[in-house]
Amino acid sequence: MSTPLFPAASFAALRARLAALPVFDENAAALAAARQGQLTKPPGSLGRLEDVAVFMAGWRQAERPRVETAQALVFAGNHGVCAQGVNPYPQEVTAQMVANFQAGGAAVNQLCRASGAVLQVVALELDRPTQDFTQGAAMSEAEVLAAMAQGAAAVNAQADILLLGEMGIGNSTVAAALATALFGGTAADWAGPGTGADEAVMARKITAIEAGLARHAVVRGDALAVLAAFGGREQAAICGAILAARMQRIPVLLDGFICTAAAAVLEALGVGALAHCLAAHVSAEPGHARLLEKLGKIPLLALGMRLGEGSGAAVALGVVRAALEAHNGMSTFAEAGVSGA
Amino acid sequence: MSTPLFPAASFAALRARLAALPVFDENAAALAAARQGQLTKPPGSLGRLEDVAVFMAGWRQAERPRVETAQALVFAGNHGVCAQGVNPYPQEVTAQMVANFQAGGAAVNQLCRASGAVLQVVALELDRPTQDFTQGAAMSEAEVLAAMAQGAAAVNAQADILLLGEMGIGNSTVAAALATALFGGTAADWAGPGTGADEAVMARKITAIEAGLARHAVVRGDALAVLAAFGGREQAAICGAILAARMQRIPVLLDGFICTAAAAVLEALGVGALAHCLAAHVSAEPGHARLLEKLGKIPLLALGMRLGEGSGAAVALGVVRAALEAHNGMSTFAEAGVSGA
């Protein structure tokens, strides 16, 4: 049905394939919207639950879409920019947390169990961090494409929805660098405390981002080159997974600041590559609300979460499930013998 | 353990019993908060999920509280003020919707199934609407106390959390009248479109509320008398259920504008009667955000819902479950061998 996107030999080859992304099925969405109007409730009274049901219908091409399989993918990577002292945690924590995910002990494990998502963790060459972006490009074009392909390959074609998350000590610095390079403003506009940076760490984050922006000024305006410049592998894998999901009409729940900053690379390609993505939540990380505004995405949840790992996406899956249960299971006014207005 | 509140012979007798409500267990909450600080995540990074876990711990008196039984109670009543043309739907819809709840076809049925709540509907003398509050007190003291007792009796003492909702054509007018009488301002400040009032219906709502306020001016300042003046039975039952839950340390998820306006009657008694209640969501009904502000409650969800029935509480139960799954199931840094900051 759809041309596979990966492997791609170059950014140019990949970009050429993005011209024909599957689009929202307006007919299926219209059928779902008409059904919403007949259910035993005042029209519109389920608010965003109604929007989510119609959104799912359009992407899944079904008047009554179901989520039988929900896949959660957490990509993990390490970052050379940690050499600049941008994170209070040692870099070993990335691998330790991957082990924690695999043992079932992290937040995202519990939250996926609670909402019925199958969690899979993909560790991306943790013993080979990307290059420090203050010193050079974080990744080569080939490295970016390889990580994207790995992200794409991890997507379960049978999934009805895909939840995306990440883990990587230092990656809130990477995310802020990506956001600044893509949307402008200063590093201070986009950088936040992440896992809990104090004033000194914050200052080093901002200095590192500004240094990276100065070094890679030439790539701004070329989103995939921006991704290569600042990294990391988990951001590239998230982009690959979003695109693979799109090819299979699988809607995506984006998690927090770092996941959204990765997705923003695709948005900057100007082909509507995030049309099948919902913003699961708005993080406490201050740049996230601004980023969602740039992407025109209204988050489903605002719970002050700032953990990443796909934790917000896992909680938001509960809202999507609620939306579809109501949409699929409610009686119509006619079925229930309830009088209209 | 605790003195039963009902039956109560008079408002005065009930008020006297409210002096000794069970309070939040600070010790259990402190143990839960300490546990949160050891889990494999940056401190505070689960945001409100952490707050909810600590809240549940304090009320359930357990470091790791569980929700095994979640009870949802929907109280239904009819309102004499419908004679003033305050609602576009005919009053028969209340009983038709009760039948729909019982047949499993309404939104709240699906949403309770999605989040794992056991739904029970309590219809309160639907064939005997309260008196039109523009003409006299909606209920007598005895009628209020009887409905409160019925609400209290419906609470399952084995529940770990209670979700409250309501159904009653015309009851957004009742809610706006209660809010105006309790908190001041004009009827127009508190009245909203409800199930979908057009301009003419809105004008009649406001006229009816102003007429009621003028007629019952003398009761303002006496919250239980305000409840009697404006009704209805489902509001009184909600108050009774909240109090019964409190006596058994069962936390409560309040639903939307109408449920919250009922609860506000208890808040106005000045004994902290809503300390065990969470605001599940903020409704699209404009008075709800204002009401939550008056009660000092920050809603868990903001999904533009405005259906009532306990629908928002049912969705929010998913957030409470997520909070407890994370709290109870995550590994500590020591257990997982993850390095700290």
Side-chain angles (χ1 to χ4, degrees), chain A residues 252-263:
Chain A
V252 170
L253 279 169
L254 300 174
D255 191 36
F257 178 59
I258 295 154
C259 181
T260 308

Side-chain angles (χ1 to χ4, degrees), chain B:
Chain B
M1 172 184 93
S2 51
T3 315
L5 298 175
F6 301 101
S10 67
F11 287 162
L14 176 60
R15 267 194 301 262
R17 291 177 196 165
L18 300 183
L21 292 173
V23 296
F24 189 72
D25 185 329
E26 298 288 354
N27 288 333
L31 288 171
R35 174 170 168 76
Q36 279 288 334
Q38 295 164 1
L39 300 177
T40 44
K41 58 178 176 55
S45 61
L46 284 176
R48 294 207 64 197
L49 298 191
E50 300 189 15
D51 303 337
V52 166
V54 172
F55 172 91
M56 293 294 292
W59 286 108
R60 298 306 287 159
Q61 300 191 289
E63 181 187 349
R64 301 199 205 182
R66 300 197 168 272
V67 171
E68 274 159 23
T69 302
Q71 182 185 27
L73 280 172
V74 178
F75 297 105
N78 272 324
H79 302 273
V81 73
C82 283
Q84 303 300 317
V86 297
N87 197 290
Y89 288 84
Q91 194 155 32
E92 302 84 76
V93 168
T94 305
Q96 291 168 352
M97 282 301 297
V98 166
N100 195 23
F101 297 143
Q102 282 158 350
V108 71
N109 298 97
Q110 324 315 315
L111 298 173
C112 281
R113 189 176 60 246
S115 65
V118 179
L119 174 64
Q120 194 181 334
V121 183
V122 181
L124 299 151
E125 306 192 50
L126 299 188
D127 51 0
R128 208 165 65 84
T130 55
Q131 194 179 344
D132 179 349
F133 67 63
T134 68
Q135 307 301 309
M139 293 188 284
S140 68
E141 184 166 343
E143 285 175 314
V144 172
L145 288 166
M148 289 181 90
Q150 212 173 335
V155 174
N156 175 1
Q158 304 307 312
D160 300 299
I161 193 164
L162 175 64
L163 287 57
L164 291 176
E166 46 52 51
M167 172 70 214
I169 294 300
N171 71 6
S172 71
T173 300
V174 171
L178 289 173
T180 315
L182 294 170
F183 297 113
T186 66
D189 292 336
W190 292 102
T195 52
D198 62 16
E199 221 170 293
V201 172
M202 270 300 288
R204 291 198 292 271
K205 275 177 95 154
I206 288 169
T207 301
I209 295 165
E210 296 289 4
L213 289 168
R215 173 173 282 271
H216 304 293
V218 65
V219 303
R220 289 173 77 160
D222 179 344
L224 293 171
V226 165
L227 177 58
F230 297 101
R233 288 192 183 84
E234 74 273 37
Q235 281 75 20
I238 284 170
C239 289
I242 290 171
L243 291 174
R246 176 63 164 270
M247 297 306 277
Q248 292 161 103
R249 302 186 152 280
I250 301 171
V252 170
L253 279 168
L254 300 173
D255 192 38
F257 178 59
I258 294 154
C259 182
T260 307
V265 169
L266 297 180
E267 181 68 13
L269 296 174
V271 293
L274 303 187
H276 63 308
C277 299
L278 293 171
H281 78 126
V282 56
S283 161
E285 184 74 359
H288 195 208
R290 174 193 288 255
L291 196 50
L292 291 173
E293 208 182 298
K294 294 281 186 193
L295 300 180
K297 302 278 186 200
I298 301 169
L300 288 170
L301 299 172
L303 291 165
M305 297 170 72
R306 54 177 175 79
L307 175 56
E309 297 183 4
S311 57
V315 180
L317 176 59
V319 175
V320 174
R321 286 193 185 277
L324 296 186
E325 286 292 322
H327 180 74
N328 294 328
M330 284 178 71
S331 296
T332 63
F333 279 98
E335 285 164 356
V338 174
S339 310

Side-chain angles (χ1 to χ4, degrees), chain A:
Chain A
M1 171 185 94
S2 52
T3 316
L5 299 174
F6 301 100
S10 67
F11 286 161
L14 176 61
R15 268 194 300 264
R17 290 176 197 166
L18 300 182
L21 292 173
V23 296
F24 188 73
D25 185 329
E26 299 287 354
N27 288 332
L31 289 171
R35 174 170 168 76
Q36 280 288 335
Q38 294 163 1
L39 300 177
T40 45
K41 59 177 175 57
S45 62
L46 283 177
R48 293 206 65 197
L49 298 191
E50 299 190 14
D51 304 338
V52 166
V54 172
F55 173 92
M56 293 294 293
W59 287 108
R60 299 305 287 161
Q61 300 190 289
E63 182 188 348
R64 300 200 205 182
R66 298 196 171 273
V67 171
E68 275 159 24
T69 303
Q71 181 185 27
L73 281 172
V74 177
F75 296 105
N78 271 325
H79 302 274
V81 74
C82 283
Q84 303 300 316
V86 296
N87 197 291
Y89 288 85
Q91 194 154 33
E92 300 84 75
V93 168
T94 305
Q96 291 168 352
M97 282 301 296
V98 166
N100 195 23
F101 297 143
Q102 282 158 348
V108 71
N109 299 95
Q110 325 313 317
L111 298 173
C112 281
R113 189 177 60 245
S115 65
V118 179
L119 173 63
Q120 196 182 332
V121 182
V122 181
L124 299 150
E125 305 191 49
L126 299 188
D127 51 358
R128 209 165 64 84
T130 56
Q131 193 179 344
D132 178 350
F133 67 62
T134 68
Q135 308 301 310
M139 293 187 283
S140 68
E141 183 166 344
E143 285 175 315
V144 172
L145 288 166
M148 288 180 90
Q150 212 173 335
V155 174
N156 175 1
Q158 303 307 312
D160 300 299
I161 192 164
L162 175 64
L163 286 58
L164 291 177
E166 46 53 50
M167 172 70 215
I169 294 299
N171 71 5
S172 70
T173 300
V174 171
L178 288 173
T180 315
L182 293 169
F183 296 113
T186 67
D189 292 336
W190 292 102
T195 51
D198 62 15
E199 220 171 293
V201 172
M202 270 300 289
R204 291 198 292 271
K205 274 177 95 155
I206 288 169
T207 301
I209 295 165
E210 295 290 4
L213 289 167
R215 172 174 283 270
H216 304 293
V218 65
V219 303
R220 290 174 75 159
D222 179 345
L224 292 172
V226 165
L227 177 57
F230 297 100
R233 288 192 183 85
E234 74 273 37
Q235 280 76 17
I238 284 170
C239 290
I242 290 171
L243 292 174
R246 175 63 164 269
M247 298 305 277
Q248 292 162 102
R249 301 185 153 281
I250 301 171
V252 170
L253 279 169
L254 300 174
D255 191 36
F257 178 59
I258 295 154
C259 181
T260 308
V265 169
L266 297 180
E267 180 69 12
L269 296 173
V271 293
L274 303 187
H276 65 308
C277 299
L278 293 172
H281 78 126
V282 57
S283 161
E285 184 75 359
H288 196 209
R290 173 192 288 253
L291 195 50
L292 291 173
E293 207 182 300
K294 293 282 185 192
L295 299 180
K297 301 279 185 200
I298 301 169
L300 289 170
L301 299 173
L303 291 165
M305 297 170 71
R306 54 179 174 80
L307 175 57
E309 299 182 1
S311 57
V315 180
L317 175 59
V319 175
V320 174
R321 287 193 185 277
L324 296 186
E325 286 292 322
H327 180 74
N328 294 328
M330 284 178 72
S331 296
T332 62
F333 280 98
E335 286 164 355
V338 174
S339 310

